[in-house]
Each structure stands twice: as structure tokens, then as C-alpha cells.
Amino acid sequence: MNNYKIKKTLFAILSITVLVIIDQLTKMWAVIRLKDSEPIVLIKNTLEFYYLPNGNTGAAFGMLKGHQMLFLIIALIISMLLLFLIYNMPNDKKFTIINVVLTLIIAGGIGNMIDRIRLNYVVDFIYFCLIDFPIFNVADMYVSIGTAVLVILLLFYYKEKDLVLIEENIKSIFKKKV
């Protein structure tokens, strides 16, 4: 086993754990402080903490309400695939940023997955009222920021040869097992 791959993956798992704890603590705070209370206005007519009564039982922006098991399965599969990618990412500093981005996406998925298992809904409490944006949470921010940065990296930072290197790294894993 490659010692670097193990250390990199363990660091990612530790980072995911810390990020999930932060997400869960903010949600716990939101329930304790905001449920059945007036919103906390951070910036008047722009940003506030507002507890969403009965939580979010859907996916992003409330889509597909009530499909909790589907979300759990998808989050679990995506988390495992992304952790597999982190483990098999080439040993080059150039790929550190993609590991960070994948870690954010995994942490966000797990943070909301915990809510779905524990509460049967996701606790949302951050409201960007300036544009009446759907209420969201810290885990949603991890996923959104991670996904946006991943798209930017794939479009503008990584070259085709970098993506081929990642693909070859993953293919070599399956060739070894055959």
C-alpha cells in the first residue's frame, strides 16, 4: 500500500469529520436559538438566520420533497466515489486543491445525510433575503462552493493531460486487481 495515499485519505477523513462537526453544531445552534423565535438579522434586508419550520425534506432548493431514502443512497454512493478519487489522486501538489474541493463536497453530503437519518429532514437556517434565495445551511455551502470550484478547476485550471493522469491512475488500480 502506498503510504502517501493512506496519509492523504486519512487527512481527508479527518477534515471531513471536522467540517461535519461544524455543520452539525451550527444546525444544533439554529434549532436551539431560532426555532419558535424571531429571525436574527445580520444585515438588514439582506442576510438573516431564520429557522425553516419543519425543515427541508427535499434536495437542493426543496426539489423532490419526501425522497429521503433516495437522497441517503445517492449521498452515500457519491461520498464513497469521491473518497475513492481522493485516495487515487496522483501524488502531485497540483492535485491538492481538487482533494480539498472533493473533501468539501463529501462533508456537505454527510452533514445533510446525518440530518436526514436523525430528523427525517435537513435543518436550514441561513436566509439571503436580498434576492429571496432559498434557505440553506453550512453543509449546503460546502457542496455548493466545492462544486463551483470543481467546475472552475476542470474548465480553466486542469489541462487535458492532468485529467488523463487521473484517469490512468484509476485504471491502474483495476488492472492490478485483475
Side-chain angles (χ1 to χ4, degrees), residues 6 15 17 28 32 40 46 54 59 64 66 68 70-71 88 115 123 141 151:
I6 293 170
S15 300
T17 303
M28 192 180 331
I32 292 167
I40 297 174
T46 304
N54 303 318
L64 297 171
Q68 299 300 338
L70 175 66
F71 300 138
N88 290 296
D115 284 10
V123 174
M141 292 183 345
V151 168

Side-chain angles (χ1 to χ4, degrees), residues 137-177:
N137 60 50
V138 174
D140 295 336
M141 292 183 345
Y142 295 159
V143 173
S144 298
I145 293 167
T147 302
V149 173
L150 180 61
V151 168
I152 291 167
L153 289 172
L154 293 174
L155 289 175
F156 302 109
Y157 180 71
Y158 292 113
K159 307 295 182 238
E160 187 174 343
K161 65 179 172 121
D162 298 321
L163 301 177
V164 167
L165 183 60
I166 294 170
E167 182 183 7
E168 288 172 356
N169 231 30
I170 291 170
K171 281 183 179 177
S172 72
I173 300 301
F174 292 107
K175 286 181 183 174
K176 288 178 188 175
K177 293 185 180 189

Side-chain angles (χ1 to χ4, degrees), residues 21-175:
I21 289 169
I22 291 168
D23 169 66
Q24 291 297 300
L25 287 174
T26 62
K27 290 173 179 173
M28 192 180 331
W29 172 84
V31 170
I32 292 167
R33 176 63 176 82
L34 299 170
K35 190 174 183 179
D36 301 323
S37 298
E38 291 296 314
I40 297 174
V41 177
L42 300 174
I43 303 171
K44 188 175 180 172
N45 298 320
T46 304
L47 182 65
E48 57 188 46
F49 290 145
Y50 171 85
Y51 182 79
L52 182 63
N54 303 318
N56 177 4
T57 61
F61 315 120
M63 295 184 300
L64 297 171
K65 287 185 185 296
H67 290 83
Q68 299 300 338
M69 189 56 69
L70 175 66
F71 300 138
L72 289 172
I73 292 168
I74 290 171
L76 189 60
I77 290 170
I78 289 174
S79 295
M80 290 174 16
L81 286 172
L82 295 181
L83 201 54
F84 174 80
L85 274 177
I86 290 171
Y87 179 82
N88 290 296
M89 200 61 61
N91 182 6
D92 186 328
K93 277 188 162 187
K94 184 171 194 163
F95 297 102
T96 301
I97 187 70
I98 201 166
N99 288 333
V100 171
V101 166
L102 297 177
T103 297
L104 278 173
I105 295 169
I106 295 168
I110 290 173
N112 283 339
M113 188 171 32
I114 289 170
D115 284 10
R116 291 182 198 289
I117 292 168
R118 203 169 58 87
L119 305 168
N120 210 28
Y121 64 88
V122 175
V123 174
D124 286 336
F125 64 94
I126 303 169
Y127 180 42
F128 192 51
C129 50
L130 178 68
I131 58 172
D132 195 28
F133 195 79
I135 301 171
F136 57 97
N137 60 50
V138 174
D140 295 336
M141 292 183 345
Y142 295 159
V143 173
S144 298
I145 293 167
T147 302
V149 173
L150 180 61
V151 168
I152 291 167
L153 289 172
L154 293 174
L155 289 175
F156 302 109
Y157 180 71
Y158 292 113
K159 307 295 182 238
E160 187 174 343
K161 65 179 172 121
D162 298 321
L163 301 177
V164 167
L165 183 60
I166 294 170
E167 182 183 7
E168 288 172 356
N169 231 30
I170 291 170
K171 281 183 179 177
S172 72
I173 300 301
F174 292 107
K175 286 181 183 174

